Structure formats: structure tokens, C-alpha cells
Amino acid sequence: MDFLSGIGGLIVLILDIWAIVSVLKSGAPSLNKVLWILLILVLPLVGFVIWFIAGPKGA
């Protein structure tokens, strides 16, 4: 069971890193980028889902 939770955590980490890189590459204003990154960091899974649905799109 620990192995599966470790894999799940690794997947969430990879998805969050991908989301943060996408936010940084987007054409959004700097303040919006900071707020999106904070949301993703504070709420990793929920923040990713919210970003995926409503976040800024890449440049």
C-alpha cells in the first residue's frame, strides 16, 4: 500500500511541476502567475485540477 501512495505522490508532483512551468510560460500578467503558482503549491491536487480547468493557457 505504501508503494501505491508513493507512486500517487510522485504523479501529483510531476503534474504540479508541469502546471507551474506552463503557468510561467503563459502570457498571463505576473500577479496572476504568482497567484496560480501559490494555489498549485498550497493545494497540490485541487490546485492542479482548478488550473487544468480554468488556468491561463500557454503562449
Side-chain angles (χ1 to χ4, degrees), residues 7-56:
I7 294 293
L10 184 62
I11 291 171
V12 170
L13 177 65
I14 291 169
L15 290 174
D16 285 346
I17 291 171
W18 173 60
I20 290 170
V21 169
S22 296
V23 167
L24 291 173
K25 287 183 178 180
S26 74
S30 296
L31 179 62
N32 290 0
K33 288 181 184 182
V34 170
L35 293 176
W36 276 114
I37 291 171
L38 284 174
L39 177 69
I40 293 167
L41 290 175
V42 171
L43 303 169
L45 186 58
V46 176
F48 172 77
V49 171
I50 293 170
W51 167 81
F52 190 76
I53 293 171

